[in-house]
Amino acid sequence: MFAIWGHDKAAEITYYGLHAMQHRGQDGAGLVVNDGTNLHLHKGEGFVNDVFKDFDFQKFKGFAAIGNIRNKTKHDKVFDNVQPHLFHSLDGSMSIVHTGRIVNSGTIRRNLEESGSILHSTSDTEILAHLMRRNGKKSVEDSLIEALKMLIGAYAFIVMTTEKMYIALDPRGIRPLSIGRLGDAYVVSSETCAFNIIGATFEREVLPGELITISDAGLESRRFLLREPRHLCAMEYVYFSRPDSDLNHVNVHSARKRMGIELGKEHPVPDADVVTGIPDSSISAAIGYAEQCGLPYEMGIIKNRYIGRTFIKPSQELREQGVKMKLSPVKGVVNGKKVVLIDDSIVRGTTIKRIVKLLREAGTKEIHVRISSPPILNPCYYGIDMSTKEELIAANHTLDEMVKLIGADSLAFLSFEGMEKAIVRDKTINQGICAACMTGNYPVLENERKKAFYRKY
Ligand code: 5GP
Ligand code: SF4
Ligand code: MG
């Protein structure tokens, strides 16, 4: 999510902000620009550049905008769920962007439909709008607070009317959200990398359970729910965010590098020749691991950065070719060597299996896989689409079975304690993390915790 208030190039800046966060989703993008009288929407499927290819920024003038990037989930009706959502009523227009997941959305949806609401998307955003309409409060702010109190889960919302912008984060702060300044304008972003690109300065994190109102009168903060201990998604540090973003005062690259250092302490590989990482997300950890173990870090695998999406949907025979188009081994680095291969995470195990195969074909003598996060054993209920338990390789196999399945010589994961140490730098400033998909310790719902499990390797 990205938003800006108080800048005459609101739509352009929002485009740049979204573009900086393209890694968070490639299935759709959109923005709503506010000219003080009307809200104008533009959205579409695909990459940010595809969606805004023919967009006339001169025509969409306004002083405020909100935007979003869509990462499609399994049961998505794509276009309807591309955000922002724009709603018109007798009181005026309102647009909403949202990230995360409402875990009680099924119940709310049923209640809304039984009392006559017609919902046209499967997105949680629409639920918020309906709840706001129904609770009969006078001001937008009061009806928003009333609606937010009914939601359980991980969420960040930005709501914009022609007069104000409202920013809300769930009481555990599971998803990241920051506020910055660009001259006199306020900017809001899921990741601070967007601030760097537009030349904005970071101001502060949105706090768990906080509702911020931005208008021409400035910024106002209220707490709509009692703040709970922070549970920022650990996967943001492991894989999801860009290395140049800071989340809750911790730089992502540095956290990944420290995860690599901890991994090196926990699982060294005696007599290894070289350390290499799978581009891009595991390079930081590979550097840390190499530093810790006193081994050279080398570029053993390179990524074709021009690949984007191929036009051809690969047939089974050509799928292998597709992998080689994206990632190729550097034979001169790995041939005849005992290699430590670092990846940031294993979900289904498909990536690591392919890379091990590529490295074998390039003549690698031994491949010791080291993963800079704990095994993923449980599904995520908070907005990260990470398959069902049946598909999670670590949830269904022992370590020995996994070694065989991926074709490596050995495999080891970073412990939860190691990961936590790498991420949480200062407990006094509420830097707690969610790691439920790894530990089974869900911060939100009791019955989810019972279904989950934790296994230490
Ligand atoms: P797998 O191939 O095991 O299913 O997924 C893990 C690999 O895919 C890692 O290399 C990771 O960098 C990448 N990856 C892509 N999307 C995701 C995601 O949503 N979560 C995680 N943890 N890794 C992902
Ligand atoms: Fe992130 Fe995992 Fe928690 Fe989901 S369960 S919010 S992916 S740490
Ligand atoms: Mg990867």
Side-chain angles (χ1 to χ4, degrees), residues 72-201:
K72 180 172 80 169
T73 56
K74 232 171 276 151
H75 311 290
D76 235 359
K77 292 187 283 174
V78 181
F79 187 73
D80 284 348
N81 286 344
V82 176
Q83 305 178 22
H85 284 259
L86 182 56
F87 304 92
H88 303 287
S89 72
L90 294 174
D91 307 331
S93 302
M94 174 173 83
S95 65
I96 305 180
V97 289
H98 156 254
T99 179
R101 205 178 124 200
I102 310 302
V103 296
N104 64 337
S105 66
T107 317
I108 298 177
R109 198 167 266 282
R110 213 169 312 121
N111 291 343
L112 284 170
E113 285 182 7
E114 278 168 7
S115 57
S117 292
I118 297 169
L119 298 157
H120 78 267
S121 77
T122 54
S123 159
D124 289 342
T125 313
E126 214 187 345
I127 289 179
L128 185 79
H130 280 270
L131 288 177
M132 285 175 71
R133 273 310 286 173
R134 292 198 154 240
N135 65 36
K137 295 284 174 197
K138 286 212 174 63
S139 74
V140 177
E141 191 165 356
D142 287 343
S143 62
L144 178 58
I145 287 175
E146 212 56 34
L148 289 169
K149 281 181 176 167
M150 298 177 76
L151 307 179
I152 300 171
Y155 55 83
F157 281 103
I158 306 177
V159 176
M160 182 171 69
T161 66
T162 51
E163 277 142 41
K164 287 180 181 178
M165 186 180 275
Y166 306 89
I167 299 130
L169 188 62
D170 76 75
R172 295 161 192 86
I174 294 174
R175 305 260 62 95
L177 195 61
S178 294
I179 305 267
R181 295 302 296 266
L182 178 62
D184 292 333
Y186 287 97
V187 280
V188 187
S189 181
S190 292
E191 277 189 50
T192 60
C193 65
F195 295 163
N196 306 341
I197 277 161
I198 61 168
T201 50

Side-chain angles (χ1 to χ4, degrees), residues 27-92:
D27 298 300
L31 62 79
V32 163
V33 62
N34 181 357
D35 63 15
T37 314
N38 288 303
L39 301 180
H40 305 277
L41 169 70
H42 180 81
K43 66 177 184 176
E45 286 179 41
F47 285 82
V48 175
N49 273 347
D50 298 333
V51 174
F52 290 96
K53 198 169 62 193
D54 302 315
F55 184 76
D56 187 352
F57 286 97
Q58 295 311 311
K59 267 199 212 147
F60 280 73
K61 286 267 174 228
F63 69 98
I66 62 175
N68 189 265
I69 284 174
R70 180 99 197 138
N71 187 13
K72 180 172 80 169
T73 56
K74 232 171 276 151
H75 311 290
D76 235 359
K77 292 187 283 174
V78 181
F79 187 73
D80 284 348
N81 286 344
V82 176
Q83 305 178 22
H85 284 259
L86 182 56
F87 304 92
H88 303 287
S89 72
L90 294 174
D91 307 331

Side-chain angles (χ1 to χ4, degrees), residues 247-350:
L247 307 175
N248 208 3
H249 312 283
V250 176
N251 170 252
V252 172
H253 161 77
S254 311
R256 283 182 190 159
K257 188 174 169 194
R258 285 190 296 266
M259 288 182 221
I261 291 172
E262 294 304 317
L263 184 62
K265 288 183 197 163
E266 290 180 13
H267 302 290
V269 178
D271 310 317
D273 295 311
V274 58
V275 178
T276 196
I278 303 177
D280 299 313
S281 49
S282 50
I283 303 294
S284 307
I287 293 170
Y289 187 98
E291 192 178 293
Q292 172 61 31
C293 296
L295 291 167
Y297 163 76
E298 296 283 358
M299 205 141 57
I301 302 152
I302 57 155
K303 186 173 176 177
N304 181 346
R305 66 177 69 178
Y306 303 106
I307 190 141
R309 272 186 183 178
T310 41
F311 292 115
I312 312 163
K313 269 249 181 271
S315 62
Q316 197 53 45
E317 316 94 89
L318 285 177
R319 205 159 270 161
E320 208 62 9
Q321 186 65 34
V323 178
K324 285 183 187 157
M325 277 167 75
K326 195 171 166 196
L327 294 163
S328 320
V330 182
K331 201 168 178 177
V333 170
V334 298
N335 191 15
K337 299 277 173 57
K338 180 172 179 175
V339 171
V340 182
L341 173 62
I342 309 285
D343 202 1
D344 54 85
S345 55
I346 291 185
V347 183
R348 292 181 181 83
T350 32

